[in-house]
Amino acid sequence: MAGSGTKEWARHWRYEQLPGLDLLRARYVRHTFPRHSHDGYVFGAVNSGVEDVGLPTGTVHAGPGTVVMINPEVAHTARAGEPEGWAYHTLYPSADVIAEIAGETMAVRGTAAFAEPIVSDPQAAHLISEVHRAAEEGNALAADSLLRIVVARLLRDHGQPMTARPMRSAGASIAARARAVLVERMAEPPSLETLATELGTSPFALLRAFRDAYGMPPHTWLTDARVRAARRLLDGGTAPADAAVTVGFTDQPHLNRHFTRIVGVPPGAYQRERKNVQDPAARSLVPSEAWQNRQHSQRYAPDQDAPDQNGSRASLGKAGLPGRAGPEQVGLGSQGLRRPIPLSSGTRSASASPSDSPDSPSA
């Protein structure tokens, strides 16, 4: 399609039959994810292009056939690794979901971790895409089965027990106390100097200790924490404008900018997906575009250039489950699956002011 090489689109959603799991399917070109972390795990499978993921150990380049695996609370960034950007399917399972599967399979004893941030595993990458496909088609049996199959595979081949944290140093203790203060005073945080004085240390010592402990400086961590808190409020039905003020953003546009950069979609689109899950009546409308979930009625703005799944059309039978017809056979198109939301130019990281930069000189 003309123009499809530079179009950005994304869908971040939750399927009600897979509790404890968020899903993101997107194509990004100029969008960059600032340094942030997640409560749970990240499994990302690139379908086309290259994604550069910045981790504490360095930058990894994820292309088709690779799976990026990020443990909870590991700070990272993401951006396009080539001018054409990248398209991918990502699973965000909670720690409880991973613990349950690990316990059933006995693949890993204790809390699971993944030592390798990226692996070449085309079959696992394909399974991640198929979890998305099954969920968007409303096939709960296949989606749940495929999720367990791919997580068990990754645990078996790449999982290990999470290593015990080292003895708490004085710096780590200061960082933990600083984090507690920022959580308690999220809406009105102190300045770095005031915070350091309250903790009995110097500003630069606090900066170093906090970054060593959490992978980012306090102001970047606070922005990430505010977005996480806003997500919880939006999940519960709080209006974006009210959520913005509650967690300490100046106003809704301020929340929109940071939320979109970190989560990958605007807060309004994020919340609409949650409402679709919680409100059965919202499923009465017939979807009209490719990739529209038949069980979810909320329609995003039309995107004339939204592509297909970039090659993940193989049947579920390849995973050892009953096969099914592909898109060409079941007649998607006018009443197929949900189309992702196109991202406006306002979502690009370049729109942020210098003071909002996650890696400002003070970092």
Side-chain angles (χ1 to χ4, degrees):
M1 297 181 189
S4 62
T6 58
K7 182 69 71 175
E8 294 187 312
W9 46 262
R11 185 188 184 197
H12 192 296
W13 69 298
R14 183 178 294 168
Y15 179 42
E16 67 271 27
Q17 299 299 323
L18 295 178
L21 177 73
D22 274 30
L23 304 99
L24 171 66
R25 181 172 62 85
R27 174 182 175 81
Y28 297 118
V29 180
R30 285 172 289 184
H31 182 83
T32 62
F33 289 86
R35 197 166 304 281
H36 66 288
S37 60
H38 299 273
D39 295 326
Y41 296 79
V42 180
F43 300 119
V46 174
N47 303 110
S48 65
V50 177
E51 177 192 19
D52 281 359
V53 183
L55 294 160
T57 54
T59 299
V60 299
H61 310 285
T66 62
V67 177
V68 174
M69 303 178 294
I70 302 177
N71 295 318
E73 304 299 343
V74 173
H76 59 284
T77 63
R79 63 188 307 151
E82 62 181 25
E84 292 75 17
W86 82 100
Y88 67 162
H89 293 80
T90 300
L91 305 177
Y92 299 98
S94 68
D96 289 341
V97 168
I98 298 301
E100 177 190 345
I101 297 174
E104 289 181 358
T105 62
M106 302 299 290
V108 175
R109 294 184 180 276
T111 302
F114 297 89
E116 303 169 88
I118 184 172
V119 295
S120 177
D121 192 336
Q123 179 63 13
H126 171 74
L127 288 171
I128 289 172
S129 297
E130 289 297 283
V131 173
H132 277 258
R133 178 185 289 277
E136 296 221 34
E137 290 180 342
N139 189 337
L141 177 62
D144 194 7
S145 300
L146 289 165
L147 174 64
R148 293 172 186 276
I149 289 170
V150 70
V151 171
R153 177 190 180 95
L154 294 172
L155 285 168
R156 180 197 69 202
D157 294 344
H158 312 293
Q160 64 180 30
M162 186 171 288
T163 56
R165 294 187 177 182
M167 295 288 292
R168 296 181 68 84
S169 64
S173 177
I174 289 173
R177 290 163 56 200
R179 174 173 171 163
V181 170
L182 293 178
V183 169
E184 182 180 356
R185 296 153 65 178
M186 182 176 293
E188 297 182 3
S191 68
L192 179 66
E193 183 174 6
T194 299
L195 180 58
T197 300
E198 291 180 6
L199 298 176
T201 187
S202 70
F204 277 103
L206 176 56
L207 274 175
R208 287 192 298 269
F210 203 97
R211 187 163 50 187
D212 288 345
Y214 303 113
M216 56 188 108
H219 69 281
T220 304
W221 182 90
L222 179 60
T223 297
D224 187 30
R226 283 173 166 169
V227 168
R228 289 197 204 184
R231 287 181 64 173
R232 291 190 290 271
L233 291 172
L234 294 173
D235 289 347
T238 302
D242 294 333
V245 175
T246 299
V247 302
F249 287 114
T250 305
D251 50 24
Q252 186 173 342
H254 194 198
L255 167 66
N256 290 353
R257 180 168 66 250
H258 288 293
F259 193 100
T260 304
R261 294 173 68 207
I262 290 175
V263 180
V265 296
Y270 173 91
Q271 188 177 57
R272 284 194 295 272
E273 293 286 2
R274 265 58 183 169
K275 287 181 178 179
N276 285 336
V277 168
Q278 296 166 7
D279 182 9
R283 302 173 196 160
S284 59
L285 296 180
V286 177
S288 62
E289 299 293 343
W291 275 107
Q292 176 110 8
N293 186 337
R294 297 169 190 161
Q295 294 186 347
H296 298 271
S297 64
Q298 179 63 43
R299 299 182 186 183
Y300 291 144
D303 177 0
Q304 299 300 319
D305 297 316
D308 59 17
Q309 284 204 82
N310 300 303
S312 60
R313 295 180 179 270
S315 71
L316 296 183
K318 289 188 176 182
L321 299 177
R324 56 166 176 77
E328 300 86 349
Q329 296 168 287
V330 298
L332 299 184
S334 65
Q335 50 181 358
L337 304 176
R338 178 182 297 281
R339 173 168 292 175
I341 183 171
L343 298 181
S344 68
S345 59
T347 66
R348 299 170 193 161
S349 59
S351 66
S353 65
S355 63
D356 294 323
S357 173
D359 296 308
S360 63
S362 63

